[in-house]
Amino acid sequence: MVNYSFSRELRLLTPEDFQPVFKNAIPSVSPHLTLLARKNTFEHPRIGMAIPKKHIKLAVGRNRIRRIVRENFRLQQHELPNIDIVVVAKAGIADLSNQEINQVLDKLWRKLVQRCNG
């Protein structure tokens, strides 16, 4: 049976985890989100988020984006290769509905899988 949990080991936690991804990234870009990825040595993908206050002023908005991205990743994790991913939010993402954000993420995951496997 497939485990759909989102445990601590699936997250990038420290600056040392984020740094290699920013240095040698494989990008997947949309007008509202950028996904940066890099192969890792683990048996599973990991995710980290950079949701700047500059683009989403209120904590409520930033937390909403985090929740949507986490949930979408939790459901997609078994289709992703062994990569570290940093999700960077851009201006205007707060104006999208939850469904629109999920559609953008689905498209970016597919693009990322093609680039990392191809």
Side-chain angles (χ1 to χ4, degrees):
M1 187 164 113
V2 179
N3 181 7
Y4 285 104
S5 68
F6 185 70
S7 62
R8 187 173 175 86
E9 64 199 24
L10 295 176
R11 298 189 322 229
L12 299 176
L13 299 169
T14 64
E16 291 79 27
D17 291 340
F18 281 81
Q19 222 52 52
V21 180
F22 283 119
K23 284 184 181 172
N24 301 319
I26 299 168
S28 183
V29 182
S30 82
H32 303 290
L33 284 172
T34 297
L35 272 54
L36 303 172
R38 183 171 193 253
K39 297 245 184 234
N40 69 26
T41 56
F42 299 98
E43 296 295 318
H44 51 79
R46 299 188 306 167
I47 190 168
M49 288 178 248
I51 316 287
K53 284 184 185 178
K54 181 179 180 181
H55 299 310
I56 305 168
K57 300 286 185 217
L58 299 177
V60 165
R62 292 190 301 277
N63 291 337
R64 176 180 150 253
I65 302 303
R66 284 188 192 104
R67 274 194 310 274
I68 295 167
V69 171
R70 262 197 314 264
E71 178 65 7
N72 197 289
F73 173 78
R74 186 183 72 81
L75 297 172
Q76 298 287 333
Q77 66 184 335
H78 302 291
E79 298 174 22
L80 298 172
N82 299 336
I83 54 177
D84 288 343
I85 305 162
V86 176
V87 178
V88 182
K90 295 181 182 177
I93 190 164
D95 300 332
L96 298 179
S97 70
N98 293 2
Q99 184 179 5
E100 290 170 326
I101 295 171
N102 278 313
Q103 289 172 347
V104 169
L105 282 166
D106 289 341
K107 182 179 172 185
L108 291 175
W109 295 134
R110 283 193 301 274
K111 213 190 285 189
L112 207 54
V113 168
Q114 288 175 348
R115 290 187 178 171
C116 289
N117 290 335

